[in-house]
Amino acid sequence: MACTAEGVAAALRAAAEVIAEHRTELVDLDRAIGDADHGENLSRGFTAIVSALETGVPETPAGVAKLAATTLISKVGGAAGPLYGTAFLRASAKLGDAAEIDVPLLLDALRAALEGVQARGKAVGGDATMVDALIPAVSAAEGAADGTIADVLTAAADGADRGAESTVDLIPRKGRASYLGERAVGHMDPGARSTALLLRAFAEAAR
Amino acid sequence: MACTAEGVAAALRAAAEVIAEHRTELVDLDRAIGDADHGENLSRGFTAIVSALETGVPETPAGVAKLAATTLISKVGGAAGPLYGTAFLRASAKLGDAAEIDVPLLLDALRAALEGVQARGKAVGGDATMVDALIPAVSAAEGAADGTIADVLTAAADGADRGAESTVDLIPRKGRASYLGERAVGHMDPGARSTALLLRAFAEAAR
Amino acid sequence: MTVGIVLVSHSAKLAEGLAELAAQMAPDVRIVPAGGLPDGGGIGTDYDEVVAAAQRADSGDGVVLLYDLGSAQMTAELAVESLADPSAAVVVDAPLVEGAVAAAVAAQGGANAKTVGEAAASAGVAP
Amino acid sequence: MTVGIVLVSHSAKLAEGLAELAAQMAPDVRIVPAGGLPDGGGIGTDYDEVVAAAQRADSGDGVVLLYDLGSAQMTAELAVESLADPSAAVVVDAPLVEGAVAAAVAAQGGANAKTVGEAAASAGVAP
Ligand SMILES: Nc1ncnc2c1ncn2[C@@H]1O[C@H](COP(=O)(O)OP(=O)(O)O)[C@@H](O)[C@H]1O
Ligand SMILES: Nc1ncnc2c1ncn2[C@@H]1O[C@H](COP(=O)(O)OP(=O)(O)O)[C@@H](O)[C@H]1O
Ligand SMILES: [Mg+2]
Ligand SMILES: [Mg+2]
Ligand SMILES: [Mg+2]
Ligand SMILES: [Mg+2]
């Protein structure tokens, strides 16, 4: 699938399906160390993205990313809203008016997304948040820069999976889970898990 | 009027009337540096005391004071409730099972009331609270120890008037008015004013 | 069993909303709001409601009371003094919202009353 | 005119109750609650409501936004960035209830946005 506006829209629709499938899993992860709404929050957000895309797909990949951003910001209702919203907003800014995303642009967008999440939430690596999925995702994507868009996104998803796994052993220092301190150890961060799921959905859509 | 249980009940009824008459004044004082409810709060409390006394006057002065205490604590709804409530509670404890209050017992009760207010609210003299009315009231009462109950209460009321006046120039350090800092200067503390009114009502009732 | 929490506020809505918020992360903790004057009488504290709330919040492991303003603190302290066992309850100086969430999470984790109170008292701006 | 205040909370009730409480001592200040998900949808923050609240709270002298939890802080910050003039509003790290009362009193006294924010940030346990 070419990484045009339509391609990005298709990837978001695929992501919405994956989120719907994993809604209960994300709720359960969040129940253990948070407030049991991460699956619900993202479902609400991605369902709204799908609806918005039905009304009309913006002309550029940047436009689609911007629509995803504003929708997530308005609809998610939890920390994931401003965080993923800012990620898509920063990615959109990088995409500019390109009609199609190529690998260098994708890498720029991924880096911008990570920077956006960190600017918004002030988390660093090791704080047991979605940042711990995004950091290895971006590194792995950079390592796959010689491949296709699908290769880059698959590498990113693999990195995010490893990063999400790494949060199991961490003491959370940001977000609600930080209230639990050591009691959170042994649990995967729900936001890190959803980051991995989203990147996997994007990678599959890019095949 | 003898300072029996009936006498104390009569003094409380007189106080309720005075509070009703000065309700707007107390509300206005509290509007300037607080939340405009001190007159309302005390009205509610003293009206409830009058009702409770209609059901039956306790047998001892201590019993009447205790009834006033518990009623104020339950009904006032603002800082004055726990403060005046504790004052009457401590006074009641001092009164023990005496059938009539004499001057030494009255002085003990007044001192206990002041101590109770300070224990409850942690205010000291100069903090621009009802404590600034009570401290000179107790001193003046002690200075009139050679007189009658009415003399002692009149001296206390005179002291409280001077004390209430002194709060005009103070920067509040306790209660809501403390949020205003220097902006509260120039205003009389509503609780100091109500303390003076109550003592004056008791003094008149004792004539 | 867990330590109970009482939220003493001048506003019924504030206390109820905060109880819901804190309960999100502490489903097994008794978090009892005690806000406003009786019978929808508006802004103020209700001593009798605070006493009742402290009794209801106690499942045998003690109670921590948090408050909004100074007069609510005094009401809470009087309420504790009136309990059958005043040592079973403690009024804690803490930022109300931040303290309630921290206390709820600590109580959910099985902490004792002293630790729950410390969690509230040391709660700062939210992470 | 006075600085406006927005109370960003996960709970509609909490925000509304706190707005009432803070308004008691600040009758001339625009204190706008922004709590809960849209349409009674429960606990969460509503970005669009926060943006609207910040606009409504501003009478020309600026706005101070306070929040309950970290995700409300992020929502508030995004809302401020979206304003026509983001420099007219500031999100302040403060204990929500104590900060709101202190900020309201400062605003009522005619303080500017910087001073109102500082009053909130330095609010501790209630006097
Ligand atoms: N300050 C932060 N920085 C980065 N990620 C964060 C931060 N706060 C929360 N998160 C992420 O958000 C996830 C929770 O999202 P969600 O459940 O939607 O929000 P909430 O905690 O408001 O209910 C966490 O698992 C974590 O990955
Ligand atoms: N900590 C305190 N110590 C002594 N007196 C206090 C204290 N806090 C408040 N007060 C008194 O209470 C009065 C206000 O009473 P009221 O209006 O009934 O209470 P609230 O401030 O809760 O509305 C003040 O004028 C002051 O005299
Ligand atoms: Mg959550
Ligand atoms: Mg949530
Ligand atoms: Mg008052
Ligand atoms: Mg009041």
Side-chain angles (χ1 to χ4, degrees), chain B residues 30 35 37-38 41 78-80 83 121 123 129-130 175-176 189-191, chain C residues 71:
Chain B
D30 199 25
D35 58 349
D37 64 4
H38 187 58
N41 289 345
L83 290 165
T129 69
M130 58 175 66
R176 288 175 180 274
D189 177 67
Chain C
S71 54

Side-chain angles (χ1 to χ4, degrees), chain B residues 30 33-34 128 171-184 189-190, chain D residues 25 105 127:
Chain B
D30 199 25
I33 59 171
I171 298 178
R173 282 196 219 89
K174 285 285 171 187
R176 288 175 180 274
S178 62
Y179 282 105
L180 277 81
E182 301 203 343
R183 278 161 52 206
D189 177 67
Chain D
M25 294 186 67
V105 172

Side-chain angles (χ1 to χ4, degrees), chain A:
Chain A
M1 187 186 284
C3 218
T4 58
E6 270 305 338
V8 177
L12 287 168
R13 288 190 204 100
E17 272 179 45
V18 167
I19 291 297
E21 280 159 24
H22 292 265
R23 192 183 139 169
T24 309
E25 177 194 343
L26 294 172
V27 162
D28 289 343
L29 289 176
D30 199 24
R31 176 170 300 114
I33 59 171
D35 58 349
D37 64 3
H38 188 57
E40 187 105 33
N41 289 346
L42 289 188
S43 262
R44 194 163 46 231
F46 278 89
T47 304
I49 291 175
V50 171
S51 301
L53 290 171
E54 270 165 23
T55 321
V57 174
E59 284 186 11
T60 58
V64 178
K66 177 113 193 250
L67 181 147
T70 56
T71 307
L72 292 173
I73 289 169
S74 280
K75 299 296 179 195
V76 167
L83 290 165
Y84 284 134
T86 304
F88 279 104
L89 220 47
R90 298 281 183 107
S92 168
K94 276 287 173 215
L95 297 175
D97 51 13
E100 196 163 334
I101 304 176
D102 60 14
V103 167
L105 197 54
L106 174 60
L107 290 174
D108 277 350
L110 285 172
R111 279 187 286 258
L114 168 60
E115 277 167 28
V117 169
Q118 294 200 265
R120 181 63 60 210
K122 311 281 183 296
V124 296
D127 284 351
T129 69
M130 57 175 66
V131 168
D132 289 307
L134 279 168
I135 290 175
V138 170
S139 313
E142 285 168 340
D146 290 342
T148 63
I149 289 273
D151 294 339
V152 170
L153 286 171
T154 300
D158 292 345
D161 277 335
R162 288 190 301 275
E165 203 56 57
S166 78
T167 65
V168 173
D169 299 320
L170 296 172
I171 297 178
R173 282 195 219 90
K174 286 284 170 187
R176 287 175 180 274
S178 62
Y179 281 105
L180 277 82
E182 300 204 342
R183 278 161 51 207
V185 173
H187 299 279
M188 185 181 292
D189 177 68
R193 173 64 177 146
S194 63
T195 293
L197 288 170
L198 291 172
L199 287 170
R200 184 68 63 195
F202 296 160
E204 303 277 314
R207 302 229 153 264

Side-chain angles (χ1 to χ4, degrees), chain B residues 144-160:
Chain B
D146 290 343
T148 63
I149 290 272
D151 294 339
V152 170
L153 285 171
T154 301
D158 291 345

Side-chain angles (χ1 to χ4, degrees), chain D residues 78-124:
Chain D
L78 262 173
V80 167
E81 291 167 20
S82 82
L83 295 176
D85 175 13
S87 74
V90 58
V91 180
V92 174
D93 274 0
L96 178 59
V97 171
E98 297 74 14
V101 175
V105 172
Q108 175 72 23
N112 64 21
K114 186 162 172 289
T115 309
V116 171
E118 284 164 2
S122 63

Side-chain angles (χ1 to χ4, degrees), chain B residues 80-122:
Chain B
L83 290 165
Y84 283 134
T86 304
F88 278 103
L89 220 46
R90 297 282 184 108
S92 169
K94 276 287 174 216
L95 297 175
D97 51 15
E100 196 162 335
I101 304 176
D102 60 15
V103 167
L105 198 53
L106 174 59
L107 291 174
D108 277 351
L110 286 172
R111 281 188 285 259
L114 168 59
E115 277 167 29
V117 169
Q118 294 201 265
R120 182 62 59 209
K122 311 281 183 296

